[in-house]
Amino acid sequence: LQHSLADRQFLRATLYAMINGQPSLADGAVLAIDNEFTNDYTADDAAKLENGGENFGISRHGMRLSLEAHALLNDKDTIFYSFRNMKKTQYQLKFAPENMGSLNMVPYLIDKYLQTNTILSVFDTTTVSFTVDNNPASAAEDRFKIVFRLMQTVPVKIIHIDASRNTDHTIAVNWKVANE
C-alpha cells in the first residue's frame, strides 16, 4: 500500500498558556503517520529542543520529540506526551488533525491527574483546558497520553420506517430507531 505525501496523516498538538484569559502559544509537537515510517527512533523523528519556558513534546524511546514519525496506527497504539517547566496556571491543549478523517480509530486523550478520557475529533480541532495547581501531580511530565482504539459499531433496532413520494418526484424515507 503506497501513500503519497498528500495522504500522510498528522496530529498537531499545541500547548497554550492562558494569560489574562487569552491563549498564548507555549510549545507544540507533531505526530506524522505514514506506512513509510516505523515506530523506532530514526532520522525521520526530531528531538525536542528545550526552551526557557514551558516545554511540551512526545515521549518515545526515552527521548522527548517535537516530531514523531509513526507507522500506521493500530488498536491500542499510545502516544505519550511530556511536560516540563509548567507554571501554576490554566492551559489549553489543542489537537489539530490533518487527513485523519478516514482513520478507523478513535483517539482518546487520557488525563492521569483528573482520571478523565476525552474523545478527540479526527475531523476538526479539539481544545482541552486544564490547570496546573498546587498538587505536583497536576504538573507531572507524563500527565497526558492518547490511546487509539478501533471504532466499534453499535447495533441499531429499527422500530418504524416509511417512504413517500415528494411533489418533485423524489422519495423521502423516514425512520425511527430504538437506540442510536
Side-chain angles (χ1 to χ4, degrees), residues 6-7 17 31 38 64 66 72 75 80 92 97 101-102 105 110 117 119-120 134 139 144 147 152 170 172:
D7 294 331
L31 177 68
T38 70
R64 276 185 306 287
S66 17
L72 295 180
D75 188 38
F80 298 92
Q92 287 182 341
S102 63
M105 302 273 179
I110 298 173
N117 296 339
I119 295 175
L120 302 178
N134 289 325
F144 291 101
V147 176
Q152 297 181 356
T170 60

Side-chain angles (χ1 to χ4, degrees), residues 85-154:
N85 298 333
M86 301 299 283
K87 298 178 178 93
K88 293 176 186 159
T89 191
Q90 293 181 329
Y91 291 94
Q92 287 182 341
L93 280 171
K94 292 189 180 187
F95 296 92
E98 184 180 325
N99 292 332
M100 295 183 73
S102 63
L103 187 66
N104 194 23
M105 302 273 179
V106 178
Y108 292 88
L109 178 69
I110 298 173
D111 181 339
K112 279 179 41 176
Y113 176 60
L114 295 179
Q115 298 181 6
T116 58
N117 296 339
T118 303
I119 295 175
L120 302 178
S121 173
V122 294
F123 299 102
D124 201 3
T125 300
T126 303
T127 301
V128 177
S129 297
F130 69 98
T131 302
V132 173
D133 56 29
N134 289 325
N135 187 329
S138 70
E141 275 193 49
D142 64 346
R143 178 174 173 173
F144 291 101
K145 65 183 176 184
I146 295 177
V147 176
F148 289 87
R149 300 300 309 253
L150 283 174
M151 279 189 197
Q152 297 181 356
T153 57
V154 178

